[in-house]
Amino acid sequence: VGVFCVGPEGADALIRQEREACEAAAAALRPTLAGKTLALTTINDDVDWILQAAEDAGMRVAWVGVMNYLRTPLRVSKQDNVLAVTEEVSSARRIREQLEKLQPDLVLTNYAGGEAAAGPWLSDTVPSSPMAFFRSAVPVLQRWETMFREKERGSVIREKGGAWKNDSVFFEKYFA
């Protein structure tokens, strides 16, 4: 599309500009995210984009558990370091065992919410579809950075087990 709209040189410049903007955003979040460990439970889906975002922010991918419902070849990543920590799992019990053993800082999941959420780690969902271009990673990394900052502050949200449990405050304020 870029070649059509602005020519080959313009497309290259646009790609370079977008890549630099996203790298700058990841660098700004790195002080909070660097060194944190990430575990991911997912259905058999390509998650390279999100794992690359985590690594760009200085996080370490500790484990990827794949629930392979269709019994097709695993295709979560093309990266050797990710494939080395990828395991096909068939039960929530196995996911729980791995999370308890690894004690990651952050667990991402798109199907094992209860197993992934209950623990000392933070948990978040795997975004189901990345946005276009390099911009997919930035909002995800910003959300994680906010979650870690709030946890460090001793946020009520984490202590009570989820923001939705605090909704009564808003209900009482605006509707009571």
Side-chain angles (χ1 to χ4, degrees):
V1 173
V3 172
F4 179 76
C5 293
V6 293
E9 297 83 21
D12 289 342
L14 179 61
I15 290 169
R16 192 171 35 261
Q17 177 183 343
E18 286 293 308
R19 180 176 283 128
E20 288 171 2
C22 291
E23 287 171 356
L29 302 169
R30 200 170 288 127
T32 302
L33 298 176
K36 303 284 195 252
T37 56
L38 171 71
L40 181 133
T41 64
T42 183
I43 55 174
N44 196 11
D45 202 6
D46 183 349
V47 291
D48 266 345
W49 72 274
I50 201 162
L51 298 175
Q52 186 61 54
E55 289 178 352
D56 288 349
M59 298 177 78
R60 183 179 65 83
V61 178
W63 181 70
V64 178
V66 181
M67 185 69 78
N68 192 357
Y69 293 115
L70 301 176
R71 297 289 176 232
T72 57
L74 295 183
R75 59 179 183 89
V76 295
S77 181
K78 297 170 201 72
Q79 300 177 39
D80 288 340
N81 66 316
V82 172
L83 293 174
V85 295
T86 298
E87 171 187 358
E88 188 170 335
V89 293
S90 59
S91 71
R93 189 185 87 241
R94 177 64 184 146
I95 293 167
R96 187 76 196 159
E97 288 170 356
Q98 277 297 90
L99 296 179
E100 288 178 358
K101 174 182 154 192
L102 295 170
Q103 293 291 309
D105 296 300
L106 176 63
V107 175
L108 301 180
T109 184
N110 61 5
Y111 72 89
E115 294 300 318
W121 47 80
L122 293 173
S123 60
D124 198 9
T125 57
V126 176
S128 59
S129 57
M131 298 176 348
F133 225 31
F134 301 104
R135 297 276 177 192
S136 297
V138 174
V140 171
L141 293 175
Q142 288 171 332
R143 185 171 63 239
W144 299 347
E145 193 264 350
T146 299
M147 290 167 63
F148 282 114
R149 259 189 307 109
E150 291 299 311
K151 182 178 181 182
E152 288 170 11
R153 281 187 25 207
S155 168
V156 169
I157 291 172
R158 181 63 189 152
E159 290 171 9
K160 296 226 177 173
W164 64 272
K165 292 183 179 180
N166 298 321
D167 284 352
S168 64
V169 173
F170 298 111
F171 182 81
E172 290 167 6
K173 180 177 180 180
Y174 296 109
F175 299 107

